[in-house]
Amino acid sequence: MPVRELRNQEAQHDSGAILRSHGRDAVQFQLADRVMTLAVERGIGGDVFFLPSALRWDDGSPVSDDDAALVRPVIEEVNAFWGSAAEFRETSRE
């Protein structure tokens, strides 16, 4: 699997992206020096990740199409590495 653990609740995908828990109800997706915090609802056997319809980095800048294309696959693969499924719901929050 193209994922390696960095620390407890933090893993790096072979794309270079890092996914880490950020409190109880959020995760941070990091790519290079950019960070995007996403809401998550934890469940038994799977988690629901809430993705805004227009993805933005935490600094407010828009996420490029190339970077946006990595978000779901990275989350799915890292979550599988952690033994959990990933489901996504789009939100209108921006």
Side-chain angles (χ1 to χ4, degrees), residues 13 15 17 29 31 36 51 55 57 63-77 88:
H13 186 264
S15 66
F29 175 89
L31 190 59
M36 179 184 352
L51 300 179
L55 292 176
W57 297 109
V63 175
S64 72
D65 291 342
D66 288 342
D67 292 347
L70 288 174
V71 174
R72 286 178 189 236
V74 166
I75 291 173
E76 288 173 338
E77 290 182 24
F88 299 94

Side-chain angles (χ1 to χ4, degrees), residues 47-62:
D47 301 324
V48 179
F49 295 85
F50 297 90
L51 300 179
S53 53
L55 292 176
R56 295 195 170 278
W57 297 109
D58 285 357
D59 66 8
S61 60

